[in-house]
Amino acid sequence: MRAALAQAAKAMYTATPNPRVGCVIVRHGEVLAEGHTQPTGFAHAEAYALHHAQQQGIDVRGSTVYVSLEPCSHHGRTPPCADALINAGVARVVVAIEDPNPLVAGQGLAKLRAAGIQVELGTLAETARDMNIGFLHRMQHAEPWVRMKIAASMDGGTALQNGQSQWITSPQARDDGHHWRARSCAILTGIGTVLQDDPQLNVRAVPTQRQPRRIVVDSDLTISPQARMLQDAPGWIFTAVDHAEPAAKLRSQGHEVIQLPDDRGKVDLHALMRELGRREINELHVEAGFKLNGSSLRAGVVDELLLYMAPCLLGPAQGLARLPVLEQLDDRLSFRFHEIERVGPDLRLRLIRTSS
C-alpha cells in the first residue's frame, strides 16, 4: 500500500477534480504493474496499471491489487474500474479507504465481493485520507476543503504596521508554500492583497503541468483588468455589486464575474464555497490579508491552517486575522495540531479545525 500511495503522489498536481489514486498489482511478492490517476478524461489508476500489464504481456489472473481508494463502480468520464478488475481475473483487492462519492460509496467493494474477489479495507487509511482530503470533503459536504496559508513571526505578526511583509519567512518556506499551491484546485485572495501586493498568485517554485484557478473576493468590484493575477489565465472574481461596466470589461477579457452578496453588502462566503463545490474545486488554497482571513475564520469556512512560523519577533504589527474581542474563552476558535515540520529555519504547522 505504501507503493500504491507513492504512485498516487505522482498525481498530486494533475488529478483534479478526480482523487489522487495509486494502484500496484502483485503476485507472489513480485510487482507486475503499477499506475496512478491520469489527468481528467484519461485512465484511472487501476485501468492504467492493468493496461501497463497487458502491454507487457503479463497475465494478472490470481494476483493481489493494492489501491489507495475504492475502485469506482459507475460510468463517468471513464468505465468502471471495479469491472476492469473483475474482468482481469484478480483474486484479491486491498483498499485503503472507501470512496464517499454517492455514485460509489461501497458499491465498488460490493461488486468485487459479489464476483468472488477477496476484499480488504483500511490499510494505511489515514495517509490515504490526507492525500485526498479535498476530494473526500467535497463528496461529503459539496464544498472544497479550505486551507488558509499564513506566514508569521513567533508573536503572530504577518506584516509591519506600514504593510511591509516581504519577507518574514525564509526562501525554503516560500518554495514549500508553492507545493501547497500546486496541489490545490484554486488559489483565493482578497482585493486588499491585490491592491497592496499585486501578486501573480501562481505556482513557480515547483514544476507543474497545471496552474490552479485564481480567485479574488472583491465585494465592490474594484480590481483592475491589469492586475497580475488576471494576466495569464481566466480568473473568477466574486463580488457583491452589480457594476455593469467594470464587469463587462473583465468578462471581455475572459474572466468570470460572479455576484454573491450577503446582507451586509459583502461577498457571501458560504455561498462562495457552495459555488466552488459545484465547480468541482477539491482543495481551495487561501492566501489573503488579515481582513479576509478574519472574515473567513469568523464565517467558519476554514478547515485547515497552514502556518509558517519564522523565528523572529515583529512587535506591534498586523496580526494573523482580524477577529472580534472575546468575552469568554469558550468562544475561541479551536484547532488541533495535525503536522509539524521544520522547513529551513522556519516551522510549518498544519492545524485542523475542531468542532469546539
Side-chain angles (χ1 to χ4, degrees):
M1 188 60 75
R2 289 191 182 92
L5 288 165
Q7 283 290 317
K10 295 180 180 180
M12 183 65 71
Y13 303 157
T14 57
T16 183
N18 291 330
R20 302 143 180 152
V21 183
C23 176
V24 177
I25 304 175
V26 179
R27 186 168 51 221
H28 305 310
E30 178 188 358
V31 173
L32 304 180
E34 53 192 2
H36 60 274
T37 308
Q38 300 301 296
T40 303
F42 294 93
H44 289 185
E46 303 93 320
Y48 188 90
L50 289 170
H51 179 68
H52 177 67
Q54 185 182 40
Q55 281 187 320
Q56 303 300 313
I58 298 171
D59 186 351
V60 300
R61 284 179 295 181
S63 64
T64 294
V65 176
Y66 293 86
V67 61
S68 59
L69 183 71
E70 176 184 2
C72 61
S73 55
H74 66 291
H75 281 272
R77 297 181 177 96
T78 58
C81 290
D83 290 355
L85 293 172
I86 292 168
N87 294 335
V90 305
R92 176 170 167 251
V93 177
V94 181
V95 179
I97 54 174
E98 190 174 299
D99 187 346
N101 184 343
L103 298 174
V104 186
Q107 296 178 66
L109 302 180
K111 183 177 280 192
L112 293 172
R113 290 186 176 114
I117 296 173
Q118 180 184 347
V119 175
E120 298 175 23
L121 178 66
T123 304
L124 297 181
E126 287 305 313
T127 304
R129 285 193 190 96
D130 197 46
M131 183 168 289
N132 279 305
I133 197 166
F135 174 81
L136 300 177
H137 191 267
R138 180 169 66 85
M139 289 297 106
Q140 292 169 320
H141 303 286
E143 295 181 357
W145 178 265
V146 180
R147 180 180 293 116
M148 178 178 285
K149 181 256 185 180
I150 302 174
S153 62
M154 290 190 297
D155 52 347
T158 58
L160 300 180
Q161 290 187 336
N162 63 13
Q164 184 180 347
S165 62
Q166 298 180 349
W167 299 101
I168 294 172
T169 52
S170 65
Q172 296 97 315
R174 298 198 295 275
D175 287 353
D176 187 75
H178 278 255
H179 156 73
W180 296 92
R181 282 187 178 187
R183 69 173 279 169
S184 68
C185 302
I187 304 172
L188 179 145
T189 194
I191 186 61
T193 299
V194 174
L195 295 176
Q196 180 168 311
D197 298 335
D198 195 19
Q200 296 180 65
L201 222 64
N202 59 4
V203 179
R204 300 183 300 279
V206 297
T208 181
Q209 302 172 24
R210 174 195 62 87
Q211 286 289 340
R213 177 73 62 174
R214 280 164 272 183
I215 303 171
V216 62
V217 175
D218 182 10
S219 293
D220 296 324
L221 199 58
T222 58
I223 191 169
S224 167
Q226 280 70 52
R228 292 205 298 171
M229 66 168 287
L230 298 180
Q231 296 313 300
D232 302 326
W236 294 345
I237 301 110
F238 286 87
T239 186
V241 294
D242 184 16
H243 289 172
E245 186 174 337
K249 187 168 186 179
L250 289 163
R251 287 176 177 132
S252 72
Q253 295 182 350
H255 308 298
E256 283 195 62
V257 179
I258 306 102
Q259 190 179 349
L260 290 176
D262 64 12
D263 56 6
R264 298 177 298 109
K266 300 293 185 181
V267 171
D268 186 324
L269 295 177
H270 288 283
L272 168 57
M273 297 309 160
R274 291 192 296 271
E275 178 62 19
L276 294 183
R278 189 185 68 80
R279 293 174 181 234
E280 297 187 308
I281 300 298
N282 292 337
E283 292 183 25
L284 178 65
H285 182 90
V286 177
E287 290 194 27
F290 71 108
K291 293 181 181 178
L292 183 55
N293 284 354
S295 299
S296 301
L297 288 164
R298 290 196 305 273
V301 299
V302 178
D303 301 293
E304 176 182 338
L305 293 180
L306 179 67
L307 176 60
Y308 292 89
M309 184 170 289
C312 65
L313 300 170
L314 297 184
Q318 295 180 12
L320 303 176
R322 177 181 285 178
L323 296 172
V325 175
L326 301 182
E327 298 297 331
Q328 49 189 346
L329 285 173
D330 289 345
D331 295 332
R332 61 190 169 185
L333 299 175
S334 296
F335 292 79
R336 63 174 174 84
F337 288 105
H338 179 67
E339 182 182 82
I340 302 174
E341 296 284 344
R342 182 84 173 264
V343 181
D346 306 316
L347 285 181
R348 184 187 71 207
L349 312 177
R350 290 182 65 199
L351 303 102
I352 308 297
R353 185 182 65 183
T354 61
S355 55
S356 59

